[in-house]
Amino acid sequence: MKPSTILYTAFGLLSPLTASAIELNPDDPESIKSAAKIIAAGTREWYTGDRVGDTPGNLPDPYYWWLCGAMFGSLIDYWYYTGDDTYNSITTQAMVHQIGTPQAFMPPNQTSTLGNDDQAFWGMTALSAAENKLPDAEGQMSWLSLAIAVFNTQVPRWNTRTCGGGLNWQIFTFNNGYDYKNTISNGAFFNIAARLAKYTGNETYAEWAVRAYEWELSVGLISRDYHFYDGTSERNNCTDVNHIQWTYNAGIHLSGAAAMWNISESAGDTTKAALWRGRLEGIIKASSVFFSADGAPNVMIEVACERNGLCDHDQRSFKAYLARWMGYTMLTAPWTRETIMPRLRASAVAAAKQCGPGKNGCGLRWWQGGVNDGEVGVGEQMSALETIQNLLVDQVAGPVGEQTGGISKNDPTAGSDGGKLVIEHDPVTTADRAGAGILTALVLAFLFGGGAWLVTGE
């Protein structure tokens, strides 16, 4: 986002769009499906990768590669909750095209900006495809094996040379930001490990999930009261923490903790079940910081950037992942429903009021009420879509596992060559510095310096 655009939106100078708001009845599954269908269609309008001459699995500028993988995760959820398979073929085409070399969502043309978090978002989409029983693509690696391949390529990157462990943000040392150990990269690794443990029953995945979570605790990326902060730098051996909070960091750990509770409960391990239940309860309680907008109780807000107009194109999608993983959590740990559902319902109703048909259908600031606020894009569409369609948790059976109805083939060796990559890329430019939750040098200086107003929960 250019500085001029930030200033323009920060002072609310964009004119609201005039499209009619969606009337949503959160108690009526057909109303929910109807709303989701409208928003899914608007989301699809942004995607051009299936056009002749374009690249499957890429969104047009200014959107980055990782966000396209995350978007297809939303469309997989859409099919799962509504039964509408309209977008399944383009989803499968895109995911297969982006498998890369090695076959672990590491396409060579993304090398100059490839973060562990970027790769992980495609891996989590593949894992959702396996959990939701999207048929494997014929003649290709299975969805489950692709998620395993992401895990197997990230394990060797666990970096104990600094900070006692953790994943660096960037995969390659020559990329800007490599020395940053961010919460989303490590949280996504935790999420994939926990969900793979639940799906396969393989204890190794559970052990890595525990290791990742406890490392984050040890360096302060997770606070004692379950707030999740952005990241830390290995330059200072992870002694300084950037305390900004994002919805997706809370969500990614919420669902991972739910998976770990489910595993422990199913195994009859009361000690571990109690531990993960306590963590899950703590995460839910602490995430209230994202549901406390003025005059709009229980309506989700990206507190770090919505009020001030500073949300970039990545950050506008973050609410989608919290909503997605709220749904997963209710399905995996049903006792959380009483606390989570009121937040999801209020947010869905508010989001629908900001949405209408078409590519620019959904706005950003649901808590403002009224019509679309004029802040439109892929992230806004995804966030509204996930928030609304996850109201349908009572209409589905929940994520499957290998012994509970799963159909995706398991190759535990997928990606175990360590993720070696023949580097083929153009010289890295300033414009290339991208990724989930990217922070420029200016923003980093602000956050570590005078950004105390963004800190909550301490």
Side-chain angles (χ1 to χ4, degrees), residues 244-327:
I244 193 169
Q245 295 188 68
W246 302 108
T247 49
Y248 74 162
N249 279 328
I252 209 165
H253 291 85
L254 179 73
S255 53
M260 295 300 288
W261 173 83
N262 185 283
I263 293 167
S264 304
E265 181 74 10
S266 298
D269 190 329
T270 56
T271 300
K272 288 183 179 179
L275 172 66
W276 285 107
R277 182 178 180 119
R279 288 172 170 173
L280 193 48
E281 289 173 338
I283 296 168
I284 293 170
K285 180 179 179 181
S287 67
S288 62
V289 68
F290 304 115
F291 297 90
S292 56
D294 297 340
N298 282 337
V299 174
M300 198 186 306
I301 177 175
E302 198 66 60
V303 292
C305 64
E306 278 191 24
R307 289 191 181 95
N308 58 28
L310 297 179
C311 294
D312 67 20
H313 291 295
D314 289 320
Q315 294 153 6
R316 292 162 186 255
S317 74
F318 288 179
K319 291 186 294 188
Y321 318 123
L322 177 53
R324 175 188 301 173
W325 289 315
M326 288 166 73

Coordinates of all heavy atoms in Angstrom, one line a residue, residues 244-327:
I244 N 2.7 -6.1 18.6 CA 1.5 -5.9 17.9 C 0.7 -7.3 17.8 O 1.3 -8.3 17.8 CB 1.8 -5.4 16.5 CG1 0.5 -4.9 15.8 CG2 2.5 -6.4 15.6 CD1 0.8 -4.1 14.5
Q245 N -0.6 -7.2 17.8 CA -1.4 -8.4 17.8 C -2.3 -8.4 16.5 O -2.9 -7.4 16.1 CB -2.3 -8.4 19.0 CG -1.6 -8.6 20.3 CD -2.5 -8.8 21.5 OE1 -3.2 -9.9 21.6 NE2 -2.6 -7.8 22.4
W246 N -2.4 -9.6 16.0 CA -3.2 -9.8 14.7 C -4.2 -11.0 15.0 O -3.9 -12.0 15.7 CB -2.3 -10.2 13.6 CG -1.3 -9.2 13.2 CD1 0.1 -9.3 13.4 CD2 -1.5 -7.9 12.6 NE1 0.7 -8.2 12.9 CE2 -0.2 -7.3 12.4 CE3 -2.6 -7.2 12.2 CZ2 0.0 -6.1 11.9 CZ3 -2.4 -6.0 11.6 CH2 -1.2 -5.4 11.4
T247 N -5.3 -10.9 14.4 CA -6.4 -11.9 14.5 C -5.9 -13.3 14.1 O -6.2 -14.3 14.7 CB -7.6 -11.6 13.7 OG1 -7.2 -11.2 12.4 CG2 -8.4 -10.4 14.3
Y248 N -5.1 -13.3 13.0 CA -4.7 -14.7 12.5 C -3.8 -15.4 13.4 O -3.8 -16.6 13.4 CB -4.3 -14.6 11.1 CG -2.9 -14.1 10.7 CD1 -2.3 -14.3 9.5 CD2 -2.2 -13.2 11.6 CE1 -1.1 -13.9 9.1 CE2 -0.9 -12.8 11.2 CZ -0.4 -13.1 10.0 OH 0.9 -12.6 9.6
N249 N -2.9 -14.7 14.2 CA -2.1 -15.4 15.1 C -2.9 -16.1 16.2 O -2.6 -17.2 16.7 CB -1.1 -14.4 15.7 CG 0.1 -14.2 14.8 OD1 0.5 -15.1 14.1 ND2 0.7 -13.0 14.8
A250 N -3.9 -15.4 16.7 CA -4.8 -16.0 17.7 C -5.5 -17.2 17.1 O -5.6 -18.3 17.7 CB -5.8 -15.0 18.2
G251 N -6.0 -17.0 15.9 CA -6.8 -18.1 15.3 C -6.0 -19.3 15.0 O -6.5 -20.5 15.2
I252 N -4.8 -19.2 14.5 CA -4.0 -20.3 14.1 C -3.6 -21.2 15.3 O -3.5 -22.4 15.2 CB -2.7 -19.8 13.3 CG1 -2.3 -20.9 12.3 CG2 -1.6 -19.4 14.2 CD1 -1.3 -20.3 11.3
H253 N -3.4 -20.5 16.5 CA -3.1 -21.3 17.7 C -4.4 -21.8 18.3 O -4.4 -22.9 18.9 CB -2.4 -20.4 18.7 CG -1.0 -20.0 18.2 ND1 -0.7 -19.0 17.4 CD2 0.2 -20.6 18.5 CE1 0.6 -18.9 17.2 NE2 1.2 -19.9 17.8
L254 N -5.5 -21.1 18.1 CA -6.8 -21.6 18.6 C -7.1 -23.0 18.1 O -7.4 -23.9 18.8 CB -7.9 -20.6 18.3 CG -9.3 -20.9 18.7 CD1 -9.5 -20.8 20.1 CD2 -10.3 -20.0 17.9
S255 N -7.0 -23.1 16.8 CA -7.4 -24.4 16.1 C -6.3 -25.5 16.4 O -6.7 -26.6 16.6 CB -7.5 -24.2 14.6 OG -6.4 -23.6 14.1
G256 N -5.0 -25.1 16.5 CA -4.0 -26.1 16.9 C -4.2 -26.6 18.3 O -4.1 -27.8 18.5
A257 N -4.6 -25.7 19.2 CA -4.8 -26.1 20.6 C -6.1 -27.0 20.6 O -6.1 -28.0 21.4 CB -5.0 -24.9 21.5
A258 N -7.1 -26.7 19.8 CA -8.3 -27.6 19.8 C -7.9 -29.0 19.3 O -8.4 -29.9 19.8 CB -9.3 -26.9 18.9
A259 N -7.1 -29.0 18.3 CA -6.7 -30.4 17.8 C -5.9 -31.1 18.8 O -6.1 -32.3 19.0 CB -5.8 -30.2 16.5
M260 N -5.0 -30.4 19.6 CA -4.2 -31.1 20.6 C -5.1 -31.6 21.8 O -4.9 -32.6 22.4 CB -3.1 -30.2 21.1 CG -2.1 -29.9 20.1 SD -1.2 -31.3 19.4 CE -0.2 -31.8 20.9
W261 N -6.2 -30.7 22.1 CA -7.1 -31.2 23.2 C -7.9 -32.4 22.7 O -8.0 -33.4 23.4 CB -8.1 -30.1 23.5 CG -9.2 -30.6 24.4 CD1 -9.1 -30.7 25.7 CD2 -10.4 -31.1 24.0 NE1 -10.3 -31.2 26.2 CE2 -11.1 -31.5 25.2 CE3 -11.1 -31.3 22.8 CZ2 -12.4 -32.1 25.1 CZ3 -12.3 -31.9 22.7 CH2 -13.0 -32.3 23.9
N262 N -8.3 -32.4 21.4 CA -9.1 -33.5 20.9 C -8.3 -34.8 20.9 O -8.8 -35.9 21.3 CB -9.5 -33.2 19.5 CG -10.4 -34.2 18.9 OD1 -10.0 -35.3 18.4 ND2 -11.7 -33.9 18.8
I263 N -7.0 -34.7 20.5 CA -6.1 -35.9 20.5 C -6.0 -36.4 22.0 O -6.1 -37.7 22.2 CB -4.7 -35.5 20.0 CG1 -4.8 -35.2 18.5 CG2 -3.7 -36.7 20.2 CD1 -3.5 -34.5 18.0
S264 N -5.7 -35.6 22.9 CA -5.5 -36.0 24.3 C -6.8 -36.5 24.9 O -6.8 -37.6 25.6 CB -5.1 -34.8 25.1 OG -3.9 -34.2 24.6
E265 N -7.9 -35.9 24.6 CA -9.2 -36.4 25.1 C -9.6 -37.7 24.6 O -10.0 -38.6 25.3 CB -10.3 -35.3 24.8 CG -11.7 -35.7 25.3 CD -11.9 -35.5 26.8 OE1 -10.9 -34.9 27.4 OE2 -12.9 -35.9 27.3
S266 N -9.3 -37.9 23.3 CA -9.7 -39.2 22.6 C -8.8 -40.3 23.1 O -9.2 -41.5 23.2 CB -9.5 -39.0 21.1 OG -10.4 -38.1 20.6
A267 N -7.6 -40.0 23.5 CA -6.6 -41.0 24.0 C -6.9 -41.3 25.5 O -6.2 -42.2 26.1 CB -5.2 -40.5 23.8
G268 N -7.7 -40.5 26.1 CA -8.0 -40.7 27.6 C -6.9 -40.2 28.4 O -6.8 -40.6 29.6
D269 N -6.0 -39.3 27.9 CA -4.9 -38.7 28.7 C -5.5 -37.5 29.4 O -5.4 -36.3 28.8 CB -3.8 -38.4 27.8 CG -2.5 -38.0 28.5 OD1 -2.6 -37.4 29.6 OD2 -1.4 -38.2 28.0
T270 N -6.0 -37.6 30.6 CA -6.6 -36.5 31.3 C -5.7 -35.4 31.6 O -6.1 -34.2 31.6 CB -7.3 -37.0 32.6 OG1 -6.3 -37.7 33.4 CG2 -8.4 -38.1 32.3
T271 N -4.4 -35.7 31.9 CA -3.5 -34.6 32.2 C -3.3 -33.7 31.0 O -3.3 -32.5 31.1 CB -2.1 -35.2 32.7 OG1 -2.4 -36.0 33.8 CG2 -1.1 -34.1 33.0
K272 N -3.0 -34.3 29.9 CA -2.7 -33.5 28.7 C -4.0 -32.8 28.2 O -4.0 -31.7 27.8 CB -2.2 -34.4 27.5 CG -0.7 -34.8 27.7 CD -0.2 -35.6 26.5 CE 1.2 -36.0 26.7 NZ 1.7 -36.8 25.6
A273 N -5.1 -33.5 28.3 CA -6.4 -32.9 27.9 C -6.7 -31.6 28.8 O -7.2 -30.6 28.3 CB -7.5 -33.9 28.1
A274 N -6.4 -31.7 30.1 CA -6.6 -30.6 31.0 C -5.7 -29.4 30.6 O -6.1 -28.3 30.6 CB -6.4 -31.0 32.4
L275 N -4.4 -29.8 30.3 CA -3.5 -28.7 29.9 C -4.0 -28.0 28.6 O -4.0 -26.8 28.6 CB -2.1 -29.4 29.6 CG -1.1 -28.5 29.0 CD1 -0.7 -27.4 29.9 CD2 0.2 -29.3 28.5
W276 N -4.4 -28.7 27.6 CA -4.8 -28.1 26.3 C -6.1 -27.4 26.5 O -6.4 -26.4 25.8 CB -4.7 -29.1 25.2 CG -3.3 -29.4 24.8 CD1 -2.6 -30.5 25.0 CD2 -2.5 -28.5 24.1 NE1 -1.4 -30.4 24.5 CE2 -1.2 -29.2 23.9 CE3 -2.6 -27.2 23.6 CZ2 -0.1 -28.6 23.3 CZ3 -1.5 -26.6 22.9 CH2 -0.3 -27.3 22.8
R277 N -7.0 -28.0 27.3 CA -8.3 -27.3 27.6 C -8.0 -25.9 28.2 O -8.6 -24.9 27.8 CB -9.2 -28.1 28.5 CG -10.5 -27.4 28.7 CD -11.5 -28.3 29.5 NE -12.8 -27.6 29.7 CZ -13.9 -28.0 29.3 NH1 -14.0 -29.2 28.7 NH2 -15.0 -27.4 29.5
G278 N -7.1 -25.9 29.2 CA -6.8 -24.6 29.8 C -6.2 -23.6 28.8 O -6.5 -22.4 28.9
R279 N -5.3 -24.1 28.0 CA -4.8 -23.2 26.9 C -5.8 -22.7 26.0 O -5.9 -21.5 25.6 CB -3.6 -23.9 26.2 CG -2.4 -24.1 27.0 CD -1.4 -25.0 26.3 NE -0.1 -25.0 27.1 CZ 1.0 -25.8 26.8 NH1 0.9 -26.7 25.8 NH2 2.1 -25.6 27.4
L280 N -6.7 -23.6 25.6 CA -7.8 -23.2 24.7 C -8.7 -22.2 25.3 O -9.1 -21.2 24.6 CB -8.5 -24.5 24.2 CG -9.5 -24.5 23.1 CD1 -8.8 -23.8 21.9 CD2 -9.9 -25.9 22.7
E281 N -9.1 -22.4 26.5 CA -9.9 -21.4 27.2 C -9.2 -20.1 27.3 O -9.8 -19.0 27.2 CB -10.3 -22.0 28.6 CG -11.2 -23.1 28.6 CD -11.4 -23.8 30.0 OE1 -10.6 -23.6 30.9 OE2 -12.5 -24.4 30.2
G282 N -7.9 -20.1 27.6 CA -7.1 -18.9 27.7 C -7.1 -18.1 26.4 O -7.2 -16.9 26.4
I283 N -6.9 -18.9 25.3 CA -6.8 -18.2 24.0 C -8.2 -17.6 23.6 O -8.2 -16.5 23.1 CB -6.4 -19.2 22.9 CG1 -5.0 -19.8 23.2 CG2 -6.5 -18.6 21.5 CD1 -4.6 -21.0 22.3
I284 N -9.2 -18.3 23.9 CA -10.6 -17.8 23.6 C -10.8 -16.5 24.4 O -11.3 -15.5 23.9 CB -11.7 -18.8 23.9 CG1 -11.5 -20.0 22.9 CG2 -13.1 -18.2 23.8 CD1 -12.4 -21.2 23.3
K285 N -10.5 -16.5 25.7 CA -10.7 -15.3 26.5 C -9.8 -14.2 26.1 O -10.3 -13.0 25.9 CB -10.3 -15.7 28.0 CG -10.5 -14.5 29.0 CD -10.2 -14.9 30.4 CE -10.3 -13.7 31.4 NZ -10.0 -14.1 32.7
A286 N -8.6 -14.4 25.7 CA -7.7 -13.3 25.3 C -8.1 -12.8 24.0 O -7.8 -11.6 23.7 CB -6.2 -13.8 25.3
S287 N -8.7 -13.6 23.1 CA -9.0 -13.1 21.8 C -10.2 -12.1 21.8 O -10.6 -11.5 20.8 CB -9.4 -14.3 20.9 OG -10.6 -14.9 21.3
S288 N -10.7 -11.8 23.0 CA -11.8 -10.8 23.2 C -11.3 -9.5 22.7 O -12.1 -8.6 22.4 CB -12.3 -10.8 24.6 OG -11.3 -10.4 25.5
V289 N -10.0 -9.3 22.7 CA -9.4 -8.0 22.3 C -9.8 -7.7 20.8 O -9.9 -6.5 20.4 CB -7.9 -8.0 22.4 CG1 -7.2 -9.0 21.4 CG2 -7.3 -6.6 22.2
F290 N -10.1 -8.7 20.1 CA -10.6 -8.5 18.7 C -12.1 -8.5 18.5 O -12.6 -8.4 17.4 CB -10.0 -9.7 17.8 CG -8.6 -9.9 17.9 CD1 -8.0 -11.0 18.4 CD2 -7.7 -8.9 17.4 CE1 -6.6 -11.2 18.5 CE2 -6.3 -9.1 17.4 CZ -5.8 -10.2 18.0
F291 N -12.8 -8.4 19.6 CA -14.2 -8.3 19.6 C -14.8 -7.2 20.5 O -15.8 -7.4 21.1 CB -14.9 -9.7 20.0 CG -14.5 -10.8 19.0 CD1 -13.4 -11.6 19.2 CD2 -15.3 -11.1 17.9 CE1 -13.0 -12.6 18.3 CE2 -15.0 -12.1 17.0 CZ -13.8 -12.8 17.2
S292 N -14.0 -6.1 20.6 CA -14.4 -5.1 21.5 C -14.5 -3.7 20.9 O -14.1 -2.7 21.5 CB -13.4 -5.1 22.7 OG -12.1 -4.9 22.2
A293 N -14.9 -3.7 19.6 CA -15.1 -2.4 18.9 C -16.1 -1.6 19.6 O -17.1 -2.1 20.1 CB -15.5 -2.6 17.5
D294 N -15.9 -0.3 19.6 CA -16.8 0.7 20.3 C -18.2 0.5 19.7 O -18.4 0.6 18.5 CB -16.4 2.1 20.1 CG -15.0 2.4 20.7 OD1 -14.7 1.6 21.6 OD2 -14.3 3.3 20.3
G295 N -19.2 0.3 20.6 CA -20.6 0.2 20.1 C -21.0 -1.0 19.3 O -22.1 -1.1 18.8
A296 N -20.1 -1.9 19.2 CA -20.4 -3.2 18.4 C -19.8 -4.4 19.1 O -18.9 -5.0 18.7 CB -19.8 -3.0 17.0
P297 N -20.4 -4.7 20.3 CA -19.9 -5.9 21.0 C -19.9 -7.2 20.2 O -20.9 -7.4 19.5 CB -20.8 -6.0 22.2 CG -22.1 -5.2 21.8 CD -21.6 -4.2 20.9
N298 N -18.9 -8.0 20.4 CA -18.8 -9.3 19.7 C -18.5 -9.2 18.2 O -18.5 -10.2 17.5 CB -20.0 -10.2 19.9 CG -19.9 -10.8 21.3 OD1 -18.9 -10.9 21.9 ND2 -21.1 -11.2 21.8
V299 N -18.3 -8.0 17.6 CA -18.0 -7.8 16.2 C -16.5 -7.8 16.0 O -15.8 -7.0 16.7 CB -18.7 -6.6 15.6 CG1 -18.3 -6.4 14.2 CG2 -20.2 -6.7 15.7
M300 N -16.0 -8.6 15.1 CA -14.6 -8.8 15.0 C -14.0 -7.5 14.3 O -14.5 -6.9 13.4 CB -14.3 -10.0 14.1 CG -12.8 -10.5 14.1 SD -12.5 -11.8 12.9 CE -13.8 -13.0 13.3
I301 N -12.8 -7.2 14.8 CA -12.0 -6.0 14.3 C -10.5 -6.3 14.3 O -10.0 -7.0 15.2 CB -12.3 -4.7 15.2 CG1 -11.5 -3.5 14.7 CG2 -12.1 -5.0 16.7 CD1 -11.8 -2.2 15.4
E302 N -9.8 -5.9 13.3 CA -8.4 -6.0 13.3 C -7.9 -4.7 14.0 O -7.7 -3.7 13.4 CB -7.9 -6.0 11.8 CG -6.4 -6.5 11.7 CD -6.4 -8.0 12.1 OE1 -7.0 -8.9 11.5 OE2 -5.6 -8.3 13.1
V303 N -7.7 -4.9 15.3 CA -7.5 -3.7 16.2 C -6.2 -2.9 15.8 O -6.1 -1.7 16.1 CB -7.4 -4.1 17.7 CG1 -8.8 -4.6 18.1 CG2 -6.3 -5.2 17.9
A304 N -5.2 -3.6 15.2 CA -4.0 -2.9 14.9 C -4.1 -1.9 13.8 O -3.2 -1.0 13.7 CB -2.9 -3.9 14.7
C305 N -5.1 -2.0 12.9 CA -5.0 -1.2 11.7 C -6.4 -0.8 11.2 O -6.4 0.1 10.2 CB -4.2 -2.0 10.6 SG -5.0 -3.5 10.1
E306 N -7.5 -1.2 11.7 CA -8.8 -0.8 11.1 C -9.2 0.6 11.4 O -9.6 1.4 10.5 CB -9.9 -1.8 11.5 CG -9.9 -3.1 10.6 CD -11.2 -3.9 10.8 OE1 -12.2 -3.3 11.3 OE2 -11.1 -5.1 10.6
R307 N -9.0 1.0 12.6 CA -9.5 2.3 13.0 C -8.6 3.4 12.4 O -9.1 4.5 12.0 CB -9.4 2.5 14.6 CG -10.5 1.7 15.3 CD -10.6 2.1 16.8 NE -11.6 1.4 17.5 CZ -11.3 0.3 18.2 NH1 -10.1 -0.2 18.3 NH2 -12.3 -0.3 18.9
N308 N -7.3 3.1 12.2 CA -6.4 4.1 11.7 C -6.2 4.1 10.2 O -5.5 4.8 9.6 CB -5.0 4.0 12.4 CG -4.4 2.7 12.3 OD1 -4.6 2.0 11.3 ND2 -3.6 2.3 13.2
G309 N -6.9 3.1 9.6 CA -6.8 3.0 8.1 C -5.5 2.5 7.6 O -5.1 2.7 6.4
L310 N -4.7 1.8 8.4 CA -3.4 1.3 8.0 C -3.3 -0.2 7.6 O -2.2 -0.7 7.4 CB -2.4 1.5 9.1 CG -2.1 3.0 9.5 CD1 -1.1 3.1 10.7 CD2 -1.7 3.8 8.3
C311 N -4.4 -0.8 7.4 CA -4.4 -2.3 7.0 C -3.9 -2.4 5.6 O -4.5 -1.8 4.7 CB -5.8 -2.9 7.2 SG -6.5 -3.0 8.8
D312 N -2.9 -3.2 5.4 CA -2.4 -3.4 4.0 C -3.2 -4.6 3.4 O -4.1 -5.1 4.0 CB -0.9 -3.7 4.0 CG -0.5 -5.0 4.6 OD1 -1.3 -5.9 4.8 OD2 0.7 -5.1 5.0
H313 N -2.9 -4.9 2.2 CA -3.7 -5.9 1.5 C -3.6 -7.3 2.1 O -4.6 -8.1 2.1 CB -3.2 -6.0 0.0 CG -3.5 -4.8 -0.8 ND1 -4.8 -4.4 -1.1 CD2 -2.7 -3.9 -1.4 CE1 -4.7 -3.3 -1.8 NE2 -3.5 -3.0 -2.0
D314 N -2.5 -7.7 2.8 CA -2.4 -8.9 3.5 C -3.3 -8.9 4.7 O -4.1 -9.8 5.0 CB -1.0 -9.2 4.0 CG -0.1 -9.5 2.9 OD1 -0.4 -10.3 1.9 OD2 1.1 -9.1 2.9
Q315 N -3.2 -7.8 5.5 CA -3.9 -7.7 6.8 C -5.4 -7.6 6.7 O -6.1 -8.0 7.6 CB -3.3 -6.5 7.6 CG -1.9 -6.6 7.9 CD -1.1 -5.3 8.1 OE1 -1.7 -4.2 8.0 NE2 0.2 -5.4 8.2
R316 N -5.9 -7.2 5.5 CA -7.3 -7.1 5.3 C -8.0 -8.5 5.2 O -9.2 -8.7 5.3 CB -7.6 -6.4 4.0 CG -7.3 -4.9 4.2 CD -7.2 -4.2 2.8 NE -6.7 -2.9 2.9 CZ -7.5 -1.8 2.8 NH1 -8.8 -2.0 2.5 NH2 -7.0 -0.6 2.9
S317 N -7.1 -9.5 5.1 CA -7.6 -10.9 5.0 C -7.5 -11.7 6.4 O -8.0 -12.8 6.5 CB -6.8 -11.7 4.0 OG -5.5 -12.1 4.4
F318 N -6.9 -11.1 7.3 CA -6.6 -11.8 8.6 C -7.8 -12.3 9.3 O -7.8 -13.4 9.9 CB -5.7 -11.0 9.5 CG -4.3 -10.8 9.0 CD1 -3.4 -10.0 9.8 CD2 -3.8 -11.4 7.8 CE1 -2.1 -9.8 9.3 CE2 -2.5 -11.2 7.4 CZ -1.6 -10.4 8.2
K319 N -8.9 -11.5 9.3 CA -10.1 -11.9 10.0 C -10.6 -13.2 9.5 O -11.3 -14.0 10.2 CB -11.1 -10.8 10.0 CG -10.7 -9.6 10.8 CD -11.9 -8.5 10.9 CE -12.2 -7.9 9.5 NZ -13.1 -6.8 9.6
A320 N -10.4 -13.5 8.2 CA -10.9 -14.7 7.6 C -10.3 -15.9 8.3 O -11.0 -16.9 8.5 CB -10.5 -14.8 6.1
Y321 N -9.1 -15.8 8.7 CA -8.4 -17.0 9.3 C -8.9 -17.2 10.8 O -9.1 -18.4 11.2 CB -6.9 -16.9 9.2 CG -6.5 -16.4 7.9 CD1 -5.7 -15.2 7.7 CD2 -7.0 -17.0 6.7 CE1 -5.4 -14.7 6.5 CE2 -6.6 -16.5 5.5 CZ -5.9 -15.4 5.4 OH -5.6 -14.8 4.1
L322 N -9.1 -16.1 11.5 CA -9.7 -16.3 12.8 C -11.1 -16.9 12.7 O -11.4 -17.9 13.5 CB -9.7 -15.0 13.6 CG -10.4 -15.0 15.0 CD1 -9.7 -16.0 15.9 CD2 -10.3 -13.6 15.6
A323 N -11.9 -16.4 11.8 CA -13.2 -17.0 11.6 C -13.2 -18.5 11.2 O -13.9 -19.3 11.7 CB -14.0 -16.2 10.6
R324 N -12.3 -18.8 10.3 CA -12.1 -20.2 9.8 C -11.8 -21.1 11.0 O -12.4 -22.2 11.1 CB -11.0 -20.2 8.8 CG -10.7 -21.6 8.3 CD -9.4 -21.6 7.4 NE -9.6 -20.8 6.2 CZ -8.7 -20.5 5.3 NH1 -7.5 -21.0 5.5 NH2 -8.9 -19.8 4.3
W325 N -10.9 -20.6 11.8 CA -10.4 -21.5 12.9 C -11.3 -21.5 14.1 O -11.2 -22.4 14.9 CB -8.9 -21.2 13.2 CG -8.0 -21.7 12.0 CD1 -8.1 -22.9 11.4 CD2 -7.0 -20.9 11.4 NE1 -7.2 -22.9 10.4 CE2 -6.5 -21.8 10.4 CE3 -6.5 -19.6 11.6 CZ2 -5.4 -21.4 9.5 CZ3 -5.4 -19.2 10.7 CH2 -4.9 -20.1 9.7
M326 N -12.1 -20.5 14.2 CA -13.2 -20.5 15.2 C -14.2 -21.7 14.8 O -14.6 -22.4 15.7 CB -14.0 -19.2 15.2 CG -13.2 -18.1 15.9 SD -13.9 -16.4 15.6 CE -15.4 -16.5 16.6
G327 N -14.5 -21.8 13.5 CA -15.4 -22.9 13.1 C -14.7 -24.3 13.4 O -15.3 -25.2 13.9

